[in-house]
Amino acid sequence: MRLYKMELYKLCHKKIFKIGLICTIGSLLFFFWIMLMQEHATVDGVSYNGYKAVQVNRHITEEFKGALTDEKVKRIIERYGIPKETEERSDVLENNNFLNQFIVLYFLEGYIHDYDSYDYETGYKISDVIYSIADSDLGKVMELTGKDIIFEYYRGWGVFLNLLLIGFIFGSVIILFTISIVFASERQTGMLLLLFTTIEGKGKDVYAKIAAAFTVAVGIWVGVIIFALILSGIVYGFDGLNCYNGMVLSYLWPSPEDMIPMYYFIPITLTLSFLGIVSLCAITLCISAYCKSNFNAVVVAAICWAAPFLIAMFFDGLRGGLSYLYSTPLFMVMYMTIFNVYNIWRILPCISAVVAIFCTCIAYRKYKVQTLS
């Protein structure tokens, strides 16, 4: 336990670790502010933006929470109307709020600034025809699931997932710079031979290093989740767990990957991200055990982490056999991965777990038997 505490202290008191935490927190706050400033609401001719708009949208949605019906759609239109004004050459609706924006998205035909139209003055057109739920994409979803569409103020969970994405990417960078030197630094500084002559010996030392590294990685994962949940929860609330992921994140198409309830989608996302962070830690430890200098360890670990993304860019996506590259740490922390590989997403955790265990064992064996050469 003493060695474990020493190793944990060493990792958490590195300058790069502290700077990384500050940058991560600062970035989360910055992007949260940007997302918050994009919120807009107009009610009874009064416009609101930012935090106030979120509170207004939450308040007006309370009346219509629950199973979505044609009667509710009609009441929303009667009460709040349909957005009809836009800024010149802008995609921002002027007199919209969360409710009538939802109506325009699913129950009306139209366009905003369709430059192929002859309506150059406003570039905005909304059909007078209002679809019933049965005739909309939501009706097709109800047919496939046999369940009602639950309507709530769901914006907060979209913000939460985007904050997780940002936080996990920054957290991964912290892991790369902090953990990649766990073993490599001992060889670079010449401490390896000294450690092997201590009472505890190299056996206990390697256990302590591995345990401390995984503690830091999991701590980053937990910290990002808690911070993102507090930010989004305090401002946006926690409504929306009964909504489908397609509705919350983009558009609810009648397809399996878009019809996952948020109370199920979020645990899936957190599980995948956990395995992504853990496997990144294990891979980084393995690389560190084989490298003789901190610089080499950081560079090699960073290249391995980013390689799947570069491959995806080169091949214009990951298809066929390359789809299994979504099990790599970089993609596992992205909630969009489930949309890209819905048919095989259950295989990804298995691959990631096997890689994590294998790399940890290799790192342990390599560091334990190595000698100064």
Side-chain angles (χ1 to χ4, degrees):
M1 182 59 70
R2 184 175 62 86
L3 283 175
Y4 166 74
K5 291 180 179 178
M6 289 176 57
E7 293 298 335
L8 188 59
Y9 179 87
K10 285 165 58 178
L11 290 177
C12 294
H13 282 75
K14 292 183 181 294
K15 287 185 178 180
I16 188 65
F17 181 80
K18 295 178 180 178
I19 294 173
L21 286 183
I22 294 172
C23 291
T24 300
I25 294 173
S27 298
L28 288 174
L29 290 172
F30 174 71
F31 284 105
F32 178 74
W33 179 79
I34 290 178
M35 288 184 281
L36 181 60
M37 289 300 103
Q38 292 175 345
E39 296 293 330
H40 180 81
T42 299
V43 177
D44 296 329
V46 181
S47 294
Y48 307 90
N49 291 290
Y51 175 79
K52 185 61 178 177
V54 172
Q55 304 313 305
V56 169
N57 281 327
R58 289 177 62 183
H59 175 72
I60 65 176
T61 305
E62 284 294 319
E63 179 184 351
F64 302 95
K65 284 175 59 176
L68 190 66
T69 63
D70 288 325
E71 187 270 336
K72 285 185 179 180
V73 172
K74 181 180 179 181
R75 282 167 50 205
I76 291 173
I77 295 175
E78 290 175 349
R79 174 68 179 83
Y80 299 103
I82 298 173
K84 294 182 180 301
E85 299 175 2
T86 62
E87 296 177 357
E88 186 177 357
R89 298 299 179 184
S90 171
D91 291 342
V92 179
L93 300 180
E94 288 290 330
N95 60 328
N96 72 320
N97 54 51
F98 177 75
L99 294 176
N100 58 22
Q101 200 172 39
F102 180 83
I103 298 302
V104 170
L105 186 62
Y106 288 102
F107 300 105
L108 296 172
E109 280 190 353
Y111 52 77
I112 302 172
H113 289 304
D114 186 340
Y115 295 112
D116 293 330
S117 73
Y118 293 100
D119 189 9
Y120 292 112
E121 184 176 350
T122 63
Y124 177 90
K125 181 179 179 181
I126 289 293
S127 171
D128 294 330
V129 178
I130 301 174
Y131 293 131
S132 66
I133 293 178
D135 294 329
S136 68
D137 287 326
L138 300 185
K140 297 176 183 177
V141 171
M142 293 174 64
E143 290 181 10
L144 291 172
T145 62
K147 299 178 181 180
D148 290 328
I149 299 294
I150 303 301
F151 180 65
E152 298 174 344
Y153 184 73
Y154 50 72
R155 286 266 174 81
W157 292 112
V159 172
F160 172 69
L161 289 173
N162 282 308
L163 288 176
L164 286 188
L165 173 62
I166 297 166
F168 288 151
I169 294 298
F170 275 88
S172 297
V173 175
I174 295 175
I175 291 173
L176 289 173
F177 278 91
T178 303
I179 296 178
S180 61
I181 62 177
V182 165
F183 294 135
S185 62
E186 304 296 356
R187 303 189 69 175
Q188 178 173 297
T189 59
M191 289 294 295
L192 188 61
L193 185 60
L194 180 60
L195 290 172
F196 285 177
T197 62
T198 60
I199 296 176
E200 289 85 356
K202 58 186 177 183
K204 291 185 178 179
D205 180 63
V206 68
Y207 284 128
K209 289 182 179 295
I210 291 174
F214 279 107
T215 300
V216 169
V218 174
I220 291 173
W221 178 78
V222 172
V224 169
I225 293 173
I226 293 175
F227 192 63
L229 191 61
I230 290 174
L231 283 180
S232 59
I234 289 176
V235 177
Y236 291 88
F238 298 101
D239 280 350
L241 282 175
N242 295 306
C243 300
Y244 291 113
N245 63 320
M247 182 187 296
V248 175
L249 298 172
S250 55
Y251 184 86
L252 182 53
W253 297 103
S255 55
E257 62 271 21
D258 293 306
M259 298 187 301
I260 306 174
M262 288 302 292
Y263 62 76
Y264 184 50
F265 182 80
I266 290 176
I268 293 175
T269 301
L270 295 180
T271 300
L272 293 183
S273 64
F274 174 79
L275 290 171
I277 292 294
V278 169
S279 62
L280 176 63
C281 178
I283 293 169
T284 305
L285 282 173
C286 185
I287 293 171
S288 180
Y290 277 87
C291 291
K292 297 181 180 180
S293 71
N294 294 343
F295 177 78
N296 289 341
V298 172
V299 170
V300 174
I303 291 174
C304 291
W305 177 67
F309 180 74
L310 299 177
I311 293 172
M313 290 182 60
F314 182 80
F315 288 99
D316 193 24
L318 299 176
R319 304 178 184 85
L322 292 178
S323 297
Y324 293 98
L325 286 177
Y326 280 109
S327 63
T328 55
L330 178 60
F331 288 114
M332 288 285 279
V333 301
M334 300 181 180
Y335 67 84
M336 302 85 75
T337 293
I338 301 175
F339 292 95
N340 295 327
V341 286
Y342 178 78
N343 293 331
I344 64 169
W345 78 262
R346 292 173 179 83
I347 301 176
L348 303 187
C350 300
I351 296 175
S352 183
V354 169
V355 169
I357 295 171
F358 176 77
C359 288
T360 302
C361 293
I362 293 298
Y364 169 80
R365 182 177 180 277
K366 176 64 178 177
Y367 182 72
K368 189 174 181 179
V369 303
Q370 69 183 337
T371 58
L372 289 173
S373 58

